[in-house]
Amino acid sequence: MSNLAIDYDDVVAAHRRLAGVAHHTPVLRSTTADERSGASLHFKAEHLQRIGAFKFRGGYNAISQFDRDQKAAGVIAFSSGNHAQAIALSARLHGIRAVIVMPEDAPAIKIAATRGYGAEVVLYDRYTQDREALGRELAEAEGLTLIPPFNHPHVMAGQGTAAKELFDDVGELDTLIVPLGGGGLLSGCATVARARYPSCRIIGVEPEAGNDAQRSLASGEIVSIATPRTIADGAQTQALGSLTLPVLQQCVDEIVTVTDAELVDTMGFLAGRMKQFVEPTGCLAAAAALSGRVAVEGLRVGVILSGGNVDLNRFAELTRDAQS
Ligand SMILES: *Cc1c(COP(=O)(O)O)cnc(C)c1O
């Protein structure tokens, strides 16, 4: 396993760094969900994590390993989503500077939330400016350390702590189902499952509109796609990372996809039946379990609910017609 970016010990170390800082989120059960799927579903509630998503785990784990010089200069990230808030809050908790680069047409509520955690937000025009070049310039000029949203060992190990807690709480599972964008969460969770329960089936779920991971695993190399059109905005990644792909190749059994309609149906179900407010991307794994995309009947199954950051009006608009 030494060729991989992380191993189980890295996740255990990350979990120690996060103790008393990240929430140990609950595992939710629902008789209705079990009846509907024919399985025993154990939902890991990362929509109840700090900043409303698991990304706090990876961001905090990465920043807590900065050396003195890195801490003195600060951190930079490119993101308009949950990674931005994860880095902003983690930096504040460490008392260091955070610069977040976001497109100027990012939702005002997300810009405000990121500033609310004390980060400096630098806006760019996504049509005329090169984000990477802008970020590199800023990072170099001011000595900032870039933390990417998934392709980094400390981020991957941090995200894996969600699965570690789940197994610590419920013991062995037959199947673990995990949302998938760039593969940070899945690589961390798969590392834990493989190490602790070698026969546990590990499944990643991505939006049908953007099945780059499915294609990458089938072809054995990273397949890049245009930004997919899906309501799962946290999984609109164009490609897996050079560090996440090998972990998925070695540890993951299968990648499945779900449609936006299945995500909306699941948002309505989780809200109506389980009283849980989960964002579209956060529903990927639950949608696969509830829609029959993964064979779960008769099995003990872990399902990661990965985040809950969706505007209330948007949530109402999407779920208005969903049955629950
Ligand atoms: C980022 C994100 C994902 C995807 O995570 P990756 O590590 O990129 O695979 C899934 N759900 C939510 C809510 C996210 O914010």
Side-chain angles (χ1 to χ4, degrees):
M1 300 287 270
S2 56
N3 58 327
L4 299 179
I6 58 167
D7 61 23
Y8 181 56
D9 291 341
D10 296 317
V11 181
V12 173
H15 199 225
R16 232 176 277 125
R17 290 183 197 103
L18 287 166
V21 184
H23 296 316
H24 184 128
T25 55
V27 178
L28 309 176
R29 303 294 317 271
S30 157
T31 307
T32 313
D34 285 358
E35 279 168 6
R36 183 170 155 179
S37 62
S40 309
L41 301 181
H42 299 73
F43 295 94
K44 177 64 172 165
E46 284 296 299
H47 60 300
L48 305 178
Q49 186 50 264
R50 293 184 82 168
I51 72 103
F54 72 90
K55 284 213 173 62
F56 177 69
R57 296 173 180 274
Y60 189 91
N61 186 48
I63 290 178
S64 59
Q65 291 174 81
F66 278 16
D67 65 23
R68 275 168 68 145
D69 289 346
Q70 287 177 304
K71 282 190 177 141
V75 60
I76 184 169
F78 312 128
S79 170
S80 54
N82 292 332
H83 181 59
Q85 292 171 63
I87 292 297
L89 176 58
S90 301
R92 194 181 69 181
L93 293 171
H94 283 92
I96 73 171
R97 178 178 179 216
V99 176
I100 310 292
V101 183
M102 286 188 176
E104 63 190 5
D105 57 356
I109 185 173
K110 294 210 164 156
I111 297 175
T114 306
R115 286 200 174 120
Y117 288 120
E120 297 159 42
V121 174
V122 174
L123 299 173
Y124 72 99
D125 180 340
R126 68 164 107 208
Y127 302 102
T128 63
Q129 278 180 295
D130 176 357
R131 180 180 86 165
E132 306 288 321
L134 175 68
R136 225 177 303 118
E137 251 168 58
L138 273 170
E140 264 166 39
E142 314 193 21
L144 303 163
T145 301
L146 174 71
I147 298 297
F150 50 86
N151 204 43
H152 188 295
H154 301 167
V155 173
M156 294 156 65
Q159 318 306 31
T161 61
K164 180 180 182 296
E165 284 179 11
L166 173 62
F167 288 117
D168 287 348
D169 287 348
V170 307
E172 184 161 10
L173 295 166
D174 299 305
T175 301
L176 177 66
I177 314 180
V178 182
L180 169 57
L185 180 62
L186 179 58
S187 60
C189 292
T191 298
V192 173
R194 263 300 148 267
R196 288 183 53 169
Y197 299 107
S199 63
C200 177
R201 207 170 151 69
I202 303 166
I203 296 173
V205 187
E206 62 184 345
E208 188 172 88
N211 70 334
D212 62 290
Q214 207 174 40
R215 291 164 56 191
S216 298
L217 284 189
S219 70
E221 52 192 56
I222 294 174
V223 173
S224 279
I225 57 170
T227 301
R229 285 175 189 276
T230 166
I231 59 170
D233 56 329
Q236 277 180 315
T237 39
Q238 293 173 266
L240 293 173
S242 55
L243 303 179
T244 57
L245 174 69
V247 179
L248 305 197
Q249 281 176 315
Q250 195 147 322
C251 302
V252 170
D253 293 292
E254 194 186 351
I255 310 280
V256 303
T257 63
V258 297
T259 64
D260 280 4
E262 286 164 338
L263 291 175
V264 166
D265 177 66
T266 304
M267 288 166 76
F269 179 86
L270 293 172
R273 296 304 179 109
M274 292 178 61
K275 320 305 165 197
Q276 303 301 314
F277 188 77
V278 183
E279 66 180 274
T281 317
C283 289
L284 281 164
L290 292 168
S291 67
R293 294 262 173 168
V294 178
V296 293
E297 225 179 309
L299 302 179
R300 272 170 63 80
V301 178
V303 175
I304 310 267
L305 301 176
S306 54
N309 291 324
V310 53
D311 179 83
L312 188 53
N313 289 318
R314 172 84 173 138
F315 187 95
E317 196 181 277
L318 285 170
T319 53
R320 200 164 35 214
D321 303 321
Q323 312 278 357
S324 64

